[in-house]
Amino acid sequence: MIKEITVVLCLGFAVWAYQAAHPPPPKLCGAPGGPPVTAPRIKLRDGRHLSYKENGFPREKAKAKIILVHGFACTKHDIMSLTDLVPHVVEELGLYFVSFDRPGYGESDPDPKRTPKSIALDIEELADHLELGSKFYVMGFSMGGQVVWGCLKYIPHRLAGATLIAPVVNYWWPGFPANLSTEAYYRQIPQEQWMLSVAHHAPWLTYWWNTQKLFPASAVIARKPEIFSRQDLELASMAAEKSEDRPPATPQGEFESLHRDYNVGFGKWEFDPMELENPFPNNEGSIHLWQGDEDAVVPVSLQRYIAQGIPWINYHELPGAGHLSLVIPQNFEQIVKAPFPGKE
Protein backbone atom coordinates (compact mmCIF):
# COMPACT_ATOMS: atom_id res chain seq x y z
CA MET A 1 0.00 0.00 0.00
CA ILE A 2 2.80 2.42 0.95
CA LYS A 3 4.53 1.59 -2.32
CA GLU A 4 1.41 2.41 -4.34
CA ILE A 5 0.92 5.71 -2.47
CA THR A 6 4.54 6.63 -3.12
CA VAL A 7 4.11 5.93 -6.83
CA VAL A 8 0.96 8.06 -6.97
CA LEU A 9 2.68 10.91 -5.14
CA CYS A 10 5.67 10.73 -7.48
CA LEU A 11 3.41 10.77 -10.53
CA GLY A 12 1.47 13.68 -9.09
CA PHE A 13 4.67 15.62 -8.49
CA ALA A 14 5.86 14.85 -12.02
CA VAL A 15 2.60 16.16 -13.50
CA TRP A 16 2.81 19.28 -11.33
CA ALA A 17 6.43 19.88 -12.32
CA TYR A 18 5.62 19.49 -16.01
CA GLN A 19 2.66 21.87 -15.82
CA ALA A 20 4.73 24.39 -13.86
CA ALA A 21 7.36 24.51 -16.58
CA HIS A 22 4.97 24.22 -19.55
CA PRO A 23 2.35 26.96 -19.68
CA PRO A 24 -0.69 26.52 -21.93
CA PRO A 25 -0.20 27.56 -25.56
CA PRO A 26 -1.16 31.13 -26.49
CA LYS A 27 -4.43 31.90 -28.26
CA LEU A 28 -3.07 33.19 -31.55
CA CYS A 29 -4.84 36.10 -33.21
CA GLY A 30 -6.70 35.00 -36.30
CA ALA A 31 -6.49 31.30 -35.38
CA PRO A 32 -9.59 29.22 -34.58
CA GLY A 33 -10.73 30.15 -31.09
CA GLY A 34 -8.26 33.03 -30.92
CA PRO A 35 -8.86 36.80 -30.86
CA PRO A 36 -9.71 38.48 -34.17
CA VAL A 37 -7.22 40.46 -36.26
CA THR A 38 -8.38 44.08 -36.44
CA ALA A 39 -5.22 46.01 -37.37
CA PRO A 40 -2.68 45.81 -40.22
CA ARG A 41 0.12 43.28 -39.74
CA ILE A 42 3.31 42.37 -41.56
CA LYS A 43 4.71 38.87 -41.92
CA LEU A 44 8.23 38.61 -40.50
CA ARG A 45 11.22 36.59 -41.64
CA ASP A 46 10.28 33.62 -39.43
CA GLY A 47 6.58 33.60 -40.31
CA ARG A 48 5.35 35.56 -37.29
CA HIS A 49 2.99 38.49 -37.70
CA LEU A 50 3.66 41.95 -36.27
CA SER A 51 0.72 44.31 -35.79
CA TYR A 52 1.26 48.05 -36.21
CA LYS A 53 -0.48 51.44 -36.13
CA GLU A 54 0.40 54.68 -37.94
CA ASN A 55 -0.24 58.29 -36.98
CA GLY A 56 1.00 61.83 -37.62
CA PHE A 57 2.22 63.21 -40.92
CA PRO A 58 1.77 61.04 -44.02
CA ARG A 59 4.72 58.70 -44.33
CA GLU A 60 5.74 60.03 -47.77
CA LYS A 61 5.76 63.69 -46.66
CA ALA A 62 7.17 63.37 -43.12
CA LYS A 63 10.44 65.07 -42.21
CA ALA A 64 11.20 62.46 -39.54
CA LYS A 65 9.91 58.93 -38.97
CA ILE A 66 9.70 57.60 -35.42
CA ILE A 67 9.07 54.01 -34.31
CA LEU A 68 7.43 53.90 -30.87
CA VAL A 69 8.01 50.92 -28.56
CA HIS A 70 5.41 50.36 -25.85
CA GLY A 71 6.04 49.28 -22.29
CA PHE A 72 4.94 46.47 -19.99
CA ALA A 73 1.27 45.39 -20.14
CA CYS A 74 0.54 47.92 -22.90
CA THR A 75 -0.03 47.94 -26.66
CA LYS A 76 0.62 49.99 -29.77
CA HIS A 77 -2.55 51.95 -28.99
CA ASP A 78 -1.36 53.09 -25.56
CA ILE A 79 1.96 54.56 -26.64
CA MET A 80 0.51 55.99 -29.85
CA SER A 81 -2.11 57.86 -27.80
CA LEU A 82 0.70 60.01 -26.39
CA THR A 83 1.18 61.64 -29.77
CA ASP A 84 -2.31 63.13 -29.41
CA LEU A 85 -0.94 65.19 -26.50
CA VAL A 86 1.30 67.21 -28.81
CA PRO A 87 -0.47 67.78 -32.16
CA HIS A 88 1.26 71.15 -32.60
CA VAL A 89 4.68 69.50 -32.30
CA VAL A 90 3.73 66.81 -34.81
CA GLU A 91 2.65 69.53 -37.23
CA GLU A 92 5.66 71.78 -36.60
CA LEU A 93 8.26 69.05 -37.05
CA GLY A 94 6.42 67.02 -39.68
CA LEU A 95 6.55 63.81 -37.65
CA TYR A 96 5.33 60.39 -38.74
CA PHE A 97 4.84 57.77 -36.03
CA VAL A 98 4.39 54.02 -36.18
CA SER A 99 3.88 51.88 -33.11
CA PHE A 100 3.64 48.10 -32.97
CA ASP A 101 2.57 45.38 -30.59
CA ARG A 102 5.67 43.72 -29.21
CA PRO A 103 5.67 39.91 -29.67
CA GLY A 104 2.92 38.23 -27.65
CA TYR A 105 1.10 41.51 -26.99
CA GLY A 106 -2.07 42.74 -28.66
CA GLU A 107 -2.30 41.26 -32.15
CA SER A 108 1.37 40.36 -32.70
CA ASP A 109 2.31 36.69 -32.68
CA PRO A 110 4.39 35.46 -29.73
CA ASP A 111 8.09 34.80 -30.14
CA PRO A 112 9.17 31.94 -27.84
CA LYS A 113 12.78 32.68 -28.84
CA ARG A 114 12.55 36.41 -28.09
CA THR A 115 15.81 38.14 -27.18
CA PRO A 116 17.03 41.76 -27.19
CA LYS A 117 18.49 41.01 -30.63
CA SER A 118 15.37 39.44 -32.13
CA ILE A 119 13.10 42.37 -31.32
CA ALA A 120 15.66 44.85 -32.70
CA LEU A 121 15.57 42.89 -35.94
CA ASP A 122 11.74 42.92 -35.83
CA ILE A 123 11.91 46.72 -35.68
CA GLU A 124 14.30 46.85 -38.61
CA GLU A 125 12.04 44.57 -40.62
CA LEU A 126 8.98 46.69 -39.82
CA ALA A 127 10.85 49.79 -41.00
CA ASP A 128 11.82 48.08 -44.26
CA HIS A 129 8.31 46.81 -44.89
CA LEU A 130 6.90 50.31 -44.43
CA GLU A 131 9.75 51.78 -46.53
CA LEU A 132 10.83 54.23 -43.84
CA GLY A 133 14.19 54.72 -45.50
CA SER A 134 17.75 53.91 -44.55
CA LYS A 135 17.47 55.64 -41.16
CA PHE A 136 14.69 56.21 -38.64
CA TYR A 137 14.21 57.20 -35.00
CA VAL A 138 13.27 54.83 -32.18
CA MET A 139 11.57 55.93 -28.98
CA GLY A 140 10.71 53.45 -26.22
CA PHE A 141 9.11 53.68 -22.81
CA SER A 142 9.82 51.49 -19.76
CA MET A 143 10.24 47.91 -21.01
CA GLY A 144 10.08 49.39 -24.49
CA GLY A 145 12.89 51.74 -23.49
CA GLN A 146 14.99 48.72 -22.62
CA VAL A 147 14.35 47.44 -26.16
CA VAL A 148 16.11 50.54 -27.50
CA TRP A 149 19.40 49.30 -25.99
CA GLY A 150 19.09 46.30 -28.33
CA CYS A 151 18.58 48.67 -31.27
CA LEU A 152 21.74 50.56 -30.32
CA LYS A 153 23.62 47.26 -30.22
CA TYR A 154 22.27 45.40 -33.24
CA ILE A 155 20.98 48.00 -35.73
CA PRO A 156 22.90 51.22 -34.94
CA HIS A 157 23.49 51.82 -38.66
CA ARG A 158 19.74 52.19 -39.16
CA LEU A 159 19.18 54.82 -36.48
CA ALA A 160 18.81 58.56 -37.01
CA GLY A 161 18.37 58.97 -33.25
CA ALA A 162 17.10 57.13 -30.19
CA THR A 163 15.15 58.02 -27.06
CA LEU A 164 14.87 55.89 -23.92
CA ILE A 165 12.11 56.97 -21.52
CA ALA A 166 12.43 55.49 -18.01
CA PRO A 167 13.97 52.34 -19.54
CA VAL A 168 13.78 49.25 -17.37
CA VAL A 169 17.17 48.32 -15.91
CA ASN A 170 18.48 44.78 -15.53
CA TYR A 171 20.03 44.53 -12.04
CA TRP A 172 22.42 41.84 -13.32
CA TRP A 173 24.10 43.85 -16.06
CA PRO A 174 27.82 43.31 -15.32
CA GLY A 175 28.71 47.00 -15.67
CA PHE A 176 27.03 47.88 -12.39
CA PRO A 177 29.09 47.87 -9.17
CA ALA A 178 27.72 45.03 -7.06
CA ASN A 179 26.94 47.26 -4.09
CA LEU A 180 24.98 49.74 -6.24
CA SER A 181 22.81 47.18 -8.04
CA THR A 182 22.24 45.24 -4.80
CA GLU A 183 21.10 48.35 -2.98
CA ALA A 184 18.74 49.25 -5.83
CA TYR A 185 17.38 45.70 -5.95
CA TYR A 186 16.54 45.72 -2.26
CA ARG A 187 14.69 49.01 -2.65
CA GLN A 188 12.02 47.03 -4.47
CA ILE A 189 9.30 45.57 -2.28
CA PRO A 190 10.03 41.91 -1.28
CA GLN A 191 7.24 40.61 -3.50
CA GLU A 192 8.93 42.10 -6.56
CA GLN A 193 12.40 41.02 -5.45
CA TRP A 194 11.24 37.40 -5.52
CA MET A 195 9.72 37.82 -8.98
CA LEU A 196 12.90 39.37 -10.35
CA SER A 197 15.03 36.56 -8.90
CA VAL A 198 12.81 33.88 -10.40
CA ALA A 199 12.98 35.54 -13.83
CA HIS A 200 16.77 35.78 -13.67
CA HIS A 201 17.76 32.53 -11.96
CA ALA A 202 14.88 30.19 -12.87
CA PRO A 203 13.02 31.58 -15.89
CA TRP A 204 11.38 28.21 -16.53
CA LEU A 205 9.37 28.83 -13.33
CA THR A 206 8.07 32.29 -14.23
CA TYR A 207 4.69 30.95 -15.35
CA TRP A 208 4.31 28.82 -12.23
CA TRP A 209 5.37 31.68 -9.95
CA ASN A 210 2.67 33.92 -11.37
CA THR A 211 -0.09 31.33 -11.17
CA GLN A 212 0.62 29.57 -7.84
CA LYS A 213 -1.11 30.68 -4.64
CA LEU A 214 1.59 29.89 -2.05
CA PHE A 215 3.60 33.10 -2.49
CA PRO A 216 2.74 36.60 -3.78
CA ALA A 217 3.47 36.86 -7.51
CA SER A 218 4.58 39.89 -9.53
CA ALA A 219 3.69 43.18 -7.86
CA VAL A 220 3.92 44.96 -11.22
CA ILE A 221 1.43 42.61 -12.88
CA ALA A 222 -0.87 43.03 -9.88
CA ARG A 223 -0.33 46.81 -10.06
CA LYS A 224 0.31 47.04 -6.34
CA PRO A 225 0.13 50.70 -5.28
CA GLU A 226 3.31 50.28 -3.20
CA ILE A 227 5.45 50.13 -6.35
CA PHE A 228 4.33 53.54 -7.63
CA SER A 229 5.18 57.08 -6.61
CA ARG A 230 2.44 59.46 -5.49
CA GLN A 231 2.50 61.18 -8.86
CA ASP A 232 2.25 57.82 -10.65
CA LEU A 233 -0.84 56.81 -8.68
CA GLU A 234 -2.60 59.98 -9.81
CA LEU A 235 -1.48 59.64 -13.41
CA ALA A 236 -2.32 55.92 -13.53
CA SER A 237 -5.95 56.52 -12.62
CA MET A 238 -6.21 59.21 -15.31
CA ALA A 239 -4.58 56.95 -17.90
CA ALA A 240 -6.87 54.06 -16.98
CA GLU A 241 -9.95 56.15 -17.69
CA LYS A 242 -8.65 57.12 -21.13
CA SER A 243 -7.72 53.53 -22.04
CA GLU A 244 -11.06 51.90 -21.20
CA ASP A 245 -12.08 51.61 -24.85
CA ARG A 246 -8.73 50.33 -26.12
CA PRO A 247 -8.15 46.66 -26.96
CA PRO A 248 -6.59 44.58 -24.15
CA ALA A 249 -2.83 44.02 -23.98
CA THR A 250 -2.85 40.26 -23.38
CA PRO A 251 -5.69 38.61 -25.34
CA GLN A 252 -3.32 35.78 -26.32
CA GLY A 253 -2.35 35.01 -22.73
CA GLU A 254 0.11 36.37 -20.18
CA PHE A 255 3.02 33.97 -20.57
CA GLU A 256 4.27 35.11 -24.00
CA SER A 257 3.69 38.76 -23.11
CA LEU A 258 4.08 39.69 -19.43
CA HIS A 259 6.07 36.67 -18.26
CA ARG A 260 8.30 36.68 -21.34
CA ASP A 261 9.06 40.36 -20.65
CA TYR A 262 10.40 39.40 -17.23
CA ASN A 263 12.51 36.56 -18.60
CA VAL A 264 14.03 38.68 -21.38
CA GLY A 265 14.32 41.92 -19.45
CA PHE A 266 15.94 40.44 -16.36
CA GLY A 267 17.62 37.39 -17.86
CA LYS A 268 21.20 36.95 -19.00
CA TRP A 269 22.04 39.36 -21.82
CA GLU A 270 24.52 38.87 -24.65
CA PHE A 271 25.89 42.39 -24.13
CA ASP A 272 26.26 45.08 -21.50
CA PRO A 273 24.67 48.42 -22.51
CA MET A 274 27.46 50.24 -20.72
CA GLU A 275 29.96 48.83 -23.21
CA LEU A 276 28.18 50.07 -26.33
CA GLU A 277 29.96 52.28 -28.83
CA ASN A 278 28.67 55.69 -29.82
CA PRO A 279 26.54 55.19 -32.96
CA PHE A 280 26.98 58.86 -33.85
CA PRO A 281 30.71 59.64 -33.54
CA ASN A 282 30.33 62.66 -35.81
CA ASN A 283 27.25 64.01 -33.97
CA GLU A 284 25.01 63.15 -36.91
CA GLY A 285 22.36 62.01 -34.43
CA SER A 286 21.73 61.92 -30.70
CA ILE A 287 20.68 59.55 -27.90
CA HIS A 288 18.45 60.78 -25.09
CA LEU A 289 17.61 59.09 -21.80
CA TRP A 290 14.79 60.50 -19.65
CA GLN A 291 14.27 59.53 -16.00
CA GLY A 292 12.13 60.78 -13.13
CA ASP A 293 14.02 61.18 -9.85
CA GLU A 294 11.06 59.76 -7.89
CA ASP A 295 10.54 56.73 -10.13
CA ALA A 296 9.82 53.79 -7.80
CA VAL A 297 9.74 51.23 -10.64
CA VAL A 298 13.14 51.97 -12.20
CA PRO A 299 15.85 53.05 -9.72
CA VAL A 300 17.22 56.48 -10.55
CA SER A 301 20.56 55.53 -8.96
CA LEU A 302 21.21 52.93 -11.68
CA GLN A 303 20.08 55.25 -14.44
CA ARG A 304 22.47 57.94 -13.20
CA TYR A 305 25.32 55.43 -13.19
CA ILE A 306 24.57 54.46 -16.79
CA ALA A 307 24.47 58.10 -17.85
CA GLN A 308 27.75 58.88 -16.09
CA GLY A 309 29.45 55.92 -17.75
CA ILE A 310 28.25 56.66 -21.28
CA PRO A 311 29.40 60.18 -22.22
CA TRP A 312 27.45 60.27 -25.48
CA ILE A 313 24.11 59.81 -23.71
CA ASN A 314 22.11 63.02 -23.24
CA TYR A 315 20.66 62.44 -19.78
CA HIS A 316 17.54 64.32 -18.67
CA GLU A 317 16.36 63.90 -15.09
CA LEU A 318 12.88 65.18 -14.28
CA PRO A 319 12.59 66.44 -10.69
CA GLY A 320 9.60 65.15 -8.75
CA ALA A 321 8.63 62.82 -11.60
CA GLY A 322 7.73 59.16 -11.36
CA HIS A 323 7.61 56.37 -13.90
CA LEU A 324 4.58 57.65 -15.81
CA SER A 325 5.67 61.26 -16.18
CA LEU A 326 5.67 61.05 -19.99
CA VAL A 327 1.85 61.26 -19.99
CA ILE A 328 2.13 64.87 -18.81
CA PRO A 329 1.85 66.91 -22.04
CA GLN A 330 4.71 69.34 -21.33
CA ASN A 331 7.01 66.44 -20.47
CA PHE A 332 6.19 64.52 -23.63
CA GLU A 333 6.66 67.66 -25.69
CA GLN A 334 10.21 68.02 -24.32
CA ILE A 335 10.89 64.36 -25.04
CA VAL A 336 9.67 64.50 -28.63
CA LYS A 337 11.53 67.73 -29.45
CA ALA A 338 14.88 66.77 -27.90
CA PRO A 339 16.31 64.83 -30.89
CA PHE A 340 15.76 67.82 -33.18
CA PRO A 341 18.31 70.60 -32.50
CA GLY A 342 16.86 74.06 -32.22
CA LYS A 343 13.35 72.75 -31.51
CA GLU A 344 13.69 71.86 -27.81
Side-chain angles (χ1 to χ4, degrees), residues 276-315:
L276 290 174
E277 296 182 359
N278 183 359
F280 305 120
N282 299 316
N283 297 318
E284 62 271 36
S286 57
I287 312 297
H288 298 264
L289 195 161
W290 296 79
Q291 177 70 31
D293 67 354
E294 292 188 7
D295 191 333
V297 178
V298 179
V300 68
S301 60
L302 297 185
Q303 221 71 279
R304 287 170 179 164
Y305 186 85
I306 291 173
Q308 291 167 3
I310 306 179
W312 41 269
I313 288 278
N314 294 282
Y315 180 63

Side-chain angles (χ1 to χ4, degrees), residues 75-317:
T75 69
K76 59 183 180 291
H77 300 290
D78 297 300
I79 194 162
M80 185 62 84
S81 69
L82 296 173
T83 63
D84 295 332
L85 300 174
V86 290
H88 56 292
V89 177
V90 175
E91 183 72 21
E92 176 190 354
L93 299 181
L95 303 179
Y96 159 88
F97 294 94
V98 59
S99 59
F100 66 98
D101 289 328
R102 292 192 289 110
Y105 279 101
E107 297 180 27
S108 287
D109 291 341
D111 182 2
K113 299 179 181 179
R114 176 153 52 112
T115 64
K117 182 177 183 178
S118 71
I119 193 165
L121 297 180
D122 287 351
I123 289 172
E124 181 178 39
E125 198 164 350
L126 174 66
D128 289 340
H129 179 88
L130 296 177
E131 298 182 343
L132 300 190
S134 60
K135 289 185 180 291
F136 49 85
Y137 294 83
V138 289
M139 180 180 296
F141 165 62
S142 191
M143 194 63 81
Q146 192 189 65
V147 168
V148 176
W149 289 121
C151 294
L152 291 168
K153 169 65 176 179
Y154 297 110
I155 58 168
H157 57 289
R158 301 301 306 275
L159 302 182
T163 302
L164 304 90
I165 310 165
V168 168
V169 171
N170 187 325
Y171 297 89
W172 291 272
W173 282 337
F176 289 130
N179 62 329
L180 185 67
S181 57
T182 299
E183 179 186 6
Y185 172 83
Y186 282 110
R187 284 184 177 274
Q188 300 292 314
I189 64 173
Q191 179 176 347
E192 194 61 16
Q193 293 173 25
W194 299 337
M195 179 66 253
L196 294 170
S197 289
V198 169
H200 182 76
H201 297 290
W204 57 90
L205 289 179
T206 302
Y207 169 74
W208 171 79
W209 186 263
N210 283 288
T211 53
Q212 51 77 36
K213 306 301 181 185
L214 300 175
F215 308 100
S218 164
V220 176
I221 293 177
R223 297 186 180 275
K224 293 282 186 179
E226 304 95 291
I227 66 170
F228 296 107
S229 68
R230 284 177 296 177
Q231 184 195 67
D232 282 340
L233 291 173
E234 297 174 3
L235 295 174
S237 61
M238 293 168 51
E241 292 177 6
K242 294 180 180 179
S243 64
E244 287 179 353
D245 297 329
R246 294 178 198 150
T250 60
Q252 303 180 80
E254 293 190 352
F255 180 73
E256 287 294 351
S257 50
L258 308 183
H259 303 172
R260 184 70 66 186
D261 264 3
Y262 268 104
N263 288 352
V264 175
F266 300 102
K268 296 176 175 63
W269 279 39
E270 297 176 347
F271 69 96
D272 183 345
M274 284 164 275
E275 295 180 352
L276 290 174
E277 296 182 359
N278 183 359
F280 305 120
N282 299 316
N283 297 318
E284 62 271 36
S286 57
I287 312 297
H288 298 264
L289 195 161
W290 296 79
Q291 177 70 31
D293 67 354
E294 292 188 7
D295 191 333
V297 178
V298 179
V300 68
S301 60
L302 297 185
Q303 221 71 279
R304 287 170 179 164
Y305 186 85
I306 291 173
Q308 291 167 3
I310 306 179
W312 41 269
I313 288 278
N314 294 282
Y315 180 63
H316 312 265
E317 192 168 297

